[in-house]
Amino acid sequence: MTTSLPDTAPRLIISDIDGTFITSAGRVTPRLRNVVTRAISSGAHFGLATGRPHRWLIPVLEQLPVAPVCVCANGAVVYDPTEDRVLHAHELSPDTMGEILHDVERALADVYHGYGVERVGSSALDPEDECFLITPEYNPDAWDSRFGVVDKQTLIEVPAAKLLVRCPDMTSAEMYDIIAPLIDDTVAHVTYSMDEGLIEISRPGANKATGAQYLADRYGLTAAETIAFGDMPNDLEMLQWAGTGVAMANAKPELKDAADHVTNTNDEHGVAAVLERWY
């Protein structure tokens, strides 16, 4: 939906990264950087909430005037880049991941698929091949050359922030419709952040809304004082939690339906256009 924005400036600004805060070329535009700078100078707090592991934040943070505390791995990790320190983490246990793999194996028995995990680690500089592990069937591409390749049993022998299921012949929505009904939400949280055949599974309660609540508590603020921006299903809980939830014009229909306001696309200064109302 599209509604009028509140008159009072938000005191906490939280934005998804891909498809929302950065352009399709991976850039933070000068217009957006400037309005974020003005907001922070006025006393507002700012954070990013992403499906990315904290190790993948550097290309974005390098474009910003500040290094905000970030919600990563869809809320499973909260990371402070100024100290290169994980402040909080929710992890799936090996036993739980084993149960999930058993169910997914049956559901996708006739479909080519693979698995991955994101382990938390302690630093953004941790070796990628020790923190992001995949099975050989994960559909290797240029990005995957850095990852550790292991068998399924080794994959799940250490707790992880996220368990990933990847299928090159299906969309994420198609995978979600098959996998999500099999997993009790008291066992794990299922979502996705891209269209290309990737499902992301976290511990119950680990989503961007709980990460956003952590940031609000850190700054002594409330959901009502927060504005949040997003474009994909993994942003849904955060937009519903925030006092003002804003979906991008390029967002999935379910996000637009849940949002208080719909702005321009990420390539058309959508986040900046909203923040400029106050800053």
Side-chain angles (χ1 to χ4, degrees):
M1 67 177 68
T2 302
T3 63
S4 59
L5 293 163
D7 294 329
T8 303
R11 298 186 61 197
L12 176 58
I13 301 160
I14 305 177
S15 179
D16 169 53
I17 294 178
D18 298 284
T20 303
F21 195 76
I22 61 175
T23 67
S24 299
R27 304 307 298 169
V28 179
T29 66
R31 178 178 171 184
L32 179 53
R33 185 166 54 248
N34 290 341
V35 72
V36 168
T37 301
R38 293 195 298 271
I40 294 169
S41 297
S42 76
H45 295 276
F46 169 68
L48 294 170
T50 179
R52 298 185 185 205
H54 53 284
R55 300 179 307 282
W56 296 3
L57 291 173
I58 293 173
V60 179
L61 297 178
E62 288 176 338
Q63 302 178 60
L64 295 176
V66 294
V69 174
C70 297
V71 176
C72 306
N74 291 333
V77 174
V78 180
Y79 172 73
D80 184 352
T82 62
E83 299 182 5
D84 186 29
R85 185 164 67 95
V86 172
L87 302 178
H88 183 70
H90 290 286
E91 295 176 287
L92 286 165
S93 71
D95 286 347
T96 297
M97 289 189 285
E99 294 174 13
I100 294 169
L101 255 64
H102 180 264
D103 291 336
V104 174
E105 282 290 281
R106 288 190 300 164
L108 299 180
D110 299 323
V111 181
Y112 185 85
H113 64 282
Y115 300 96
V117 292
E118 291 179 11
R119 295 179 180 172
V120 175
S122 60
S123 166
L125 302 178
D126 286 337
E128 193 70 7
D129 62 358
E130 295 179 8
C131 293
F132 201 120
L133 305 179
I134 60 173
T135 63
E137 305 83 11
Y138 189 80
N139 187 30
D141 55 27
W143 279 92
D144 299 337
S145 62
R146 302 173 298 159
F147 302 162
V149 181
V150 297
D151 59 44
K152 284 185 286 190
Q153 188 56 45
T154 304
L155 188 82
I156 63 171
E157 67 183 10
V158 173
K162 284 200 294 187
L163 172 66
L164 309 172
V165 186
R166 191 170 185 183
C167 178
D169 298 321
M170 300 176 71
T171 67
S172 297
E174 290 169 338
M175 293 179 68
Y176 182 87
D177 288 343
I178 294 172
I179 294 171
L182 302 176
I183 300 175
D184 190 313
D185 59 11
T186 64
V187 173
H189 175 69
V190 183
T191 190
Y192 61 95
S193 60
M194 57 186 287
D195 291 321
E196 294 81 12
L198 183 68
I199 291 297
E200 303 161 62
I201 304 171
S202 305
R203 212 175 88 176
N207 58 56
K208 290 190 181 183
T210 55
Q213 182 68 64
Y214 184 98
L215 294 187
D217 291 344
R218 178 182 177 89
Y219 303 125
L221 301 174
T222 66
E225 298 172 287
T226 304
I227 189 168
F229 298 84
D231 72 310
M232 290 295 287
N234 64 327
D235 299 311
L236 182 60
E237 291 92 352
M238 180 174 70
L239 265 61
Q240 293 173 327
W241 169 87
T244 304
V246 180
M248 311 303 289
N250 50 288
K252 292 295 182 183
E254 56 264 43
L255 254 73
K256 293 180 181 178
D257 290 342
D260 300 299
H261 183 79
V262 178
T263 186
N264 302 335
T265 71
N266 60 315
D267 288 325
E268 298 172 320
H269 308 286
V271 175
V274 172
L275 296 181
E276 286 168 349
R277 173 183 176 88
W278 306 286
Y279 308 111

